[in-house]
Amino acid sequence: MENTLNSIIAAAAPLVIMTMGESITEKSGVVNLSLEGSLRLSAMTGFAVAFWAGHAFAGFVAAAVVGAAIAAIIAATSIRLRLNQIAVGFVLTLLAADLASFLGDSLVGERGPRVPPLPIPVLSDIPFVGKVLFDHDLVVYASFLAIAVTWWHFYRTRSGLNLQGVGERPEGAFARGIKVNTLRFWYTVLGGAMVGIAGAAYSLDIKLGWRETLTLNLGWIALAIVIFGGWHPLRVAFGAYLFGALQVMAFQLQDVFPGLAQVLPIAPFPLMILALVFVYSSWFRRIGDRLPRVRNLFGSEAPAALGTVFERE
Amino acid sequence: MALEIRDIHKHFGPVRANDGVSITVGEGSLHGILGENGAGKSTLMKILSGFYEADSGAVVLDGEVLTLRSPADAIAVGIGMLHQDPLVFLPFTVLDNFVLGSPGPVRLDRSNARTELERVSTELGFSFDPAALARDLTVGERQQLEITRLIWLGARVLIFDEPTTGISATQRIQLFATLRALAEHGMIVLFVSHKLEEVEELCDSVTVIRRGKVVFEAPMPVAPELLVEEMFGKVFVADEREPVALGGPVLRLESVSVDDGKTHLDALDFEGAAGEVVGLAGLEGSGQRTLLRACAGLLTPTAGHLSVDGVDLTHVSYRGHLAVGVHYLPAGRLEEGLVEGISVTEHLVLTSHDRRFLVDWKGAEAAADRVIDEYSIKGRPSSPAEALSGGNQQRLLLAMIPEDVRLLLLEHPTRGLDVESAAFVWKRLLERRTDGATIIFASADLEELLTYSDRIVVFFGGSVFAVRDTASTDGEELGYLIGGKERV
């Protein structure tokens, strides 16, 4: 049991970092749709740089730069040129994914450095909890930190409130003296860097090595999890762990129920759709009107200005 | 303290929105800025609040020339603006709306902010539940929240852009009391409006802006005729409406029940005669809209019969209503009436009866030019609907009413329009009456109801509360009836 939980948390760590990054970006009102491509290109770049430099850390830095650069293109074309974020994001997805396959061809099958395990002394000796939470490596601890900091920033800091304002009603934020487009640009870049780090985590920590199908579909899954989680860091994290659990279960059940093992990884999608149908039902709305706390817990409302361009008229 | 606006120029493309505007307002003054739609008042206020940068000219406060590059600059020197649609964040709490954008340390101290909110709002005579969501506040309360926030941030000059749009009569009274109190405390209050009576009621002094220039300045009171003349450049006389002999019934409702999810109308009997104008009065959401939408075919009655010219339309679709000459002009002109992004010409093509497969764009453009001329729409055939001002959008909608209309349903036909546009709209509408159409309109403007209706139906709490012949009632009685009381 504790081993299973340990693997779920480890398996979900990159997904957690990526979904936190995308949550930050989308809260500011920008959609970075390029996740699938960004992830693949940064996984490849991260592996390549770590392979040549002989050190995993260099790979993470390079991957973060790649993710940030792709995000910067989306933010800049949206803000400066008023291009559609969805269109640019989609084109970048295709471009980055193909670029990764093309550039990374010679790396397939190579073995590179890996992130060393780092059990936390004392804490990892606590029975059960120690094994589940504190017997991991830096990537996993970073995923914990990402959840906590994202949540704290959104709901407990002034800049987090400003960030939400920018994504909700940019003209209102602007009227209050907030630099809407500057914030949007940097939060998008930050979110992109986190996607890049997640990419490197797949090739240097989870799977060790680069191949084309390493991160297949995980970018799309991350986008869906952010929506399913209602742009709330804790619920988004829950979604990421749920997906991680299904992945680990599928892996463990492979020999026993081969059929079920194939179905499990796609189970989250119908679940997400059902959850959204539930949240948008009039029945739930009536409950929400009576119990605001319940509404706040489950209600998922997209930032109202998501995907739009803000111009000072 | 004095606010001095010196020779402000601002143009958008070829349009000179502000063409050398200079205004001086002293401490404790409640100053009205009056002008028709599109006169340049909003542009000037947006320059003052840092939303726009002026091409040239200066804003001087307390003898100091201000640099206003963004709203942040304006707030820093104490200029705050309350926008026509209060710029609050609907899904956020009152408290978060209050602190959003305020300076301070990284960690947000909400308990301290709550104390501040309470302190400032109590001083102003408002009360808020800090945990309530902004979306659950009325427009009036959202304004109060914004006022509280701006005062807390140290505003000394407060700009109100058409603040009475969309608030109830009671809230208007409360708002005016607040504005007077603010001025008494030494603030400079700029009240921007196109409504003459509000400026008369509230302001100590007034500036009239016409076509981007200051054309008149004086302490109040000023004779209303003079202000109208300055606003429009000519004296405007409302047309006396000629009596029209009523014909047979056009619209007939027999114990119709209808429900739109919010308001439920029960067993309603009603008849509208050819050539008759019926006004629907009542507070927003009392059933007027439900009735209009049922007549238009947008809601299906749950019981009873609805017919136009003897044709039973009870279970007939919206298209079927159109076919017998029912036409509906909703209050949301841009949301429901027009299509954002398509031009005047394209709108007219969409509503034309031309059934040819290929569109004759040359002919359509010529036709659009004629319509623009006939309805004096300020715009070009290629102007998209959203580029037209509210008054011009309504003119375009009028032009789209088919020739053979039998029943014309209107929701707030002149809301947000200046006097001249409103008069134009009604002139056109009354022409339809002479052709034997029935006009039913909902309005919150008592004067409009009394001027143009033959009969007034007052709704209260989802049912018809009273029906009056216009000749036998007055504004005072209507006020009582709308509030659900008979005159005592």
Side-chain angles (χ1 to χ4, degrees):
Chain A
M1 181 65 191
E2 57 187 40
N3 281 327
T4 307
L5 285 177
N6 176 289
S7 356
I8 289 171
I9 281 174
L15 198 56
V16 166
I17 295 175
M18 174 163 47
T19 50
M20 288 306 127
E22 182 68 9
S23 300
I24 293 170
T25 302
E26 293 197 9
K27 267 284 188 202
S28 80
V30 179
V31 183
N32 180 352
L33 196 77
S34 76
L35 257 49
E36 180 69 17
S38 299
L39 192 67
R40 203 183 295 185
L41 187 60
S42 54
M44 192 283 296
T45 315
F47 180 75
V49 170
F51 179 67
W52 289 317
H55 200 287
F57 183 73
F60 276 92
V61 173
V65 170
V66 168
I70 294 175
I73 294 173
I74 293 175
T77 53
S78 163
I79 293 166
R80 285 270 159 194
L81 306 174
R82 280 170 254 149
L83 297 187
N84 183 309
Q85 293 165 7
I86 304 291
V88 173
F90 195 73
V91 168
L92 286 175
T93 297
L94 301 177
L95 183 72
D98 285 347
L99 202 59
S101 308
F102 173 67
L103 295 176
D105 200 34
S106 62
L107 293 168
V108 176
E110 297 284 359
R111 292 191 130 267
R114 66 162 301 172
V115 180
L118 184 73
I120 296 179
V122 186
L123 287 179
S124 60
D125 297 332
I126 305 172
F128 193 77
V129 176
K131 176 72 189 165
V132 173
L133 292 180
F134 302 113
D135 188 10
H136 292 286
D137 57 28
L138 274 178
V139 172
V140 177
Y141 303 136
S143 72
F144 296 160
L145 200 66
I147 300 172
V149 171
T150 307
W151 179 86
W152 182 76
H153 181 246
F154 278 7
Y155 302 113
R156 289 291 178 268
T157 70
R158 212 170 280 276
S159 59
L161 187 58
N162 291 356
L163 159 66
Q164 295 188 61
V166 164
E168 184 60 36
R169 196 166 183 183
E171 54 289 358
F174 180 68
R176 286 156 194 244
I178 297 168
K179 290 180 178 142
V180 173
N181 284 331
T182 312
L183 281 193
R184 281 188 166 180
F185 181 83
W186 288 112
Y187 280 120
T188 307
V189 168
L190 172 66
M194 289 170 76
V195 173
I197 290 171
Y202 279 114
S203 59
L204 297 171
D205 189 29
I206 304 274
K207 304 269 178 69
L208 301 183
W210 159 256
R211 60 177 194 282
E212 220 181 317
T213 55
L214 180 71
T215 63
L216 193 67
N217 287 340
L218 288 166
W220 299 122
I221 287 164
L223 283 165
I225 288 175
V226 172
I227 298 172
F228 167 66
W231 295 267
H232 188 294
L234 300 185
R235 274 187 289 150
V236 170
F238 173 75
Y241 284 122
L242 187 67
F243 185 81
L246 290 166
Q247 265 185 320
V248 168
M249 273 163 69
F251 184 73
Q252 292 183 343
L253 293 175
Q254 215 162 29
D255 303 327
V256 200
F257 303 105
L260 183 66
Q262 283 200 317
V263 175
L264 270 183
I266 58 159
F269 298 107
L271 277 179
M272 282 176 200
I273 294 169
L274 283 178
L276 290 180
V277 167
F278 167 72
V279 163
Y280 285 111
S281 68
S282 58
W283 182 76
F284 177 78
R285 199 159 296 162
R286 272 198 295 277
I287 293 184
D289 284 344
R290 231 167 286 156
L291 303 165
R293 271 173 186 282
V294 175
R295 178 171 60 190
N296 295 345
L297 193 62
F298 292 106
S300 61
E301 214 171 334
L306 186 60
T308 61
V309 175
F310 171 71
E311 271 182 286
R312 166 190 190 164
E313 295 172 68
Chain B
M1 182 177 70
L3 175 73
E4 197 185 330
I5 297 165
R6 275 188 206 153
D7 198 29
I8 294 277
H9 287 262
K10 173 80 184 174
H11 66 89
F12 297 99
V15 183
R16 286 160 188 264
N18 283 171
D19 194 7
V21 177
S22 300
I23 301 173
T24 304
V25 188
E27 184 171 323
S29 182
L30 232 166
H31 189 83
I33 310 265
L34 198 59
E36 64 171 318
N37 297 329
K41 341 179 266 293
S42 286
T43 305
L44 182 65
M45 294 309 124
K46 285 189 169 168
I47 288 170
L48 269 184
S49 59
F51 251 73
Y52 296 155
E53 278 185 69
D55 299 335
S56 66
V59 179
V60 183
L61 186 63
D62 273 342
E64 197 181 321
V65 179
L66 306 177
T67 317
L68 300 173
R69 291 245 161 71
S70 72
D73 292 343
I75 294 166
V77 296
I79 300 178
M81 173 152 172
L82 210 116
H83 294 256
Q84 187 170 356
D85 175 18
L87 288 175
V88 297
F89 300 85
L90 300 180
F92 298 2
T93 62
V94 165
L95 186 65
D96 281 0
N97 267 289
F98 179 66
V99 287
L100 206 154
S102 65
V106 172
R107 211 185 81 82
L108 193 55
D109 186 348
R110 284 200 173 81
S111 72
N112 178 46
R114 189 172 292 130
T115 322
E116 287 293 291
L117 171 64
E118 204 148 292
R119 180 178 65 80
V120 183
S121 59
T122 317
E123 270 173 31
L124 289 165
F126 305 145
S127 92
F128 298 107
D129 170 9
L133 297 183
R135 79 152 45 93
D136 297 328
L137 303 184
T138 62
V139 176
E141 287 170 326
R142 291 175 199 170
Q143 286 179 341
Q144 296 178 346
L145 177 58
E146 283 288 274
I147 296 172
T148 311
R149 189 178 66 81
L150 292 168
I151 298 289
W152 179 56
L153 291 174
R156 298 179 287 162
V157 177
L158 276 175
I159 302 164
F160 292 83
D161 187 12
E162 309 270 1
T164 56
T165 319
I167 66 174
S168 69
T170 345
Q171 285 176 329
R172 203 186 70 148
I173 292 167
Q174 204 181 355
L175 175 71
F176 281 14
T178 308
L179 298 194
R180 287 196 190 95
L182 290 172
E184 266 164 36
H185 281 83
M187 295 212 174
I188 292 176
V189 178
L190 295 179
F191 181 80
V192 181
S193 181
H194 64 260
K195 291 181 193 147
L196 206 57
E197 61 275 25
E198 291 181 350
V199 172
E200 281 186 294
E201 183 184 338
L202 187 69
C203 300
D204 321 318
S205 52
V206 66
T207 299
V208 180
I209 295 183
R210 188 169 83 224
R211 298 212 184 112
K213 289 187 168 145
V214 171
V215 291
F216 182 79
E217 254 181 316
M220 292 298 279
V222 176
E225 304 80 49
L226 185 57
L227 287 177
V228 172
E229 194 182 323
E230 294 297 348
M231 271 173 82
F232 297 102
K234 59 180 181 287
V235 177
F236 162 80
V237 190
D239 289 338
E240 278 295 310
R241 50 181 286 237
E242 306 150 29
V244 165
L246 299 189
V250 172
L251 171 73
R252 180 174 279 167
L253 270 70
E254 287 163 79
S255 53
V256 165
S257 300
V258 63
D259 196 319
D260 70 350
K262 283 183 224 130
T263 325
H264 180 80
L265 286 179
D266 206 25
L268 186 66
D269 290 295
F270 183 77
E271 243 176 51
E276 189 181 24
V277 181
V278 183
L280 308 181
L283 297 170
E284 199 94 329
S286 299
Q288 311 92 302
R289 183 181 163 85
T290 319
L291 174 63
L292 286 177
R293 290 179 94 86
C295 293
L298 292 168
L299 292 171
T300 308
T302 48
H305 289 282
L306 188 159
S307 64
V308 170
D309 279 337
V311 183
D312 185 4
L313 294 177
T314 316
H315 295 287
V316 173
S317 68
Y318 179 70
R319 275 184 78 91
H321 281 72
L322 288 182
V324 296
V326 178
H327 195 85
Y328 173 53
L329 258 65
R333 285 171 206 140
L334 204 50
E335 294 76 21
E336 288 188 278
L338 301 172
V339 185
E340 229 174 301
I342 78 169
S343 69
V344 172
T345 310
E346 286 163 329
H347 273 98
L348 294 169
V349 171
L350 271 181
T351 43
S352 78
H353 288 292
D354 192 346
R355 287 282 161 261
R356 279 175 301 170
F357 183 68
L358 293 176
V359 176
D360 167 18
W361 286 112
K362 261 208 177 116
E365 207 151 296
D369 263 324
R370 280 196 300 278
V371 165
I372 284 175
D373 218 36
E374 191 187 339
Y375 287 85
S376 10
I377 298 172
K378 281 181 198 135
R380 285 186 306 265
S382 60
S383 310
E386 68 272 19
L388 302 177
S389 72
N392 287 310
Q393 287 174 7
Q394 190 69 319
R395 285 166 196 248
L396 175 58
L397 281 166
L398 282 181
M400 287 160 58
I401 299 174
E403 281 299 314
D404 50 358
V405 67
R406 297 293 298 145
L407 174 63
L408 199 45
L409 305 160
L410 310 142
E411 201 180 352
H412 303 297
T414 63
R415 180 186 271 180
L417 303 195
D418 59 54
V419 189
E420 198 192 16
S421 295
F424 180 85
V425 165
W426 271 108
K427 185 165 164 272
R428 286 290 173 163
L429 289 176
L430 294 180
E431 281 168 16
R432 302 297 183 145
R433 184 181 60 132
T434 343
D435 301 336
T438 303
I439 298 177
I440 303 185
F441 75 102
S443 175
D445 183 343
L446 295 186
E447 207 179 306
E448 181 177 35
L449 288 164
L450 289 165
T451 313
Y452 297 108
S453 339
D454 298 306
R455 242 185 333 150
I456 298 176
V457 180
V458 184
F459 283 80
F460 181 76
S463 60
V464 172
F465 183 69
V467 181
R468 292 285 184 276
D469 276 327
T470 309
S472 68
T473 186
D474 55 31
E476 194 196 329
E477 185 185 19
L478 280 184
Y480 277 107
L481 295 174
I482 287 171
K485 289 191 267 296
E486 293 286 349
R487 172 150 58 182
V488 280

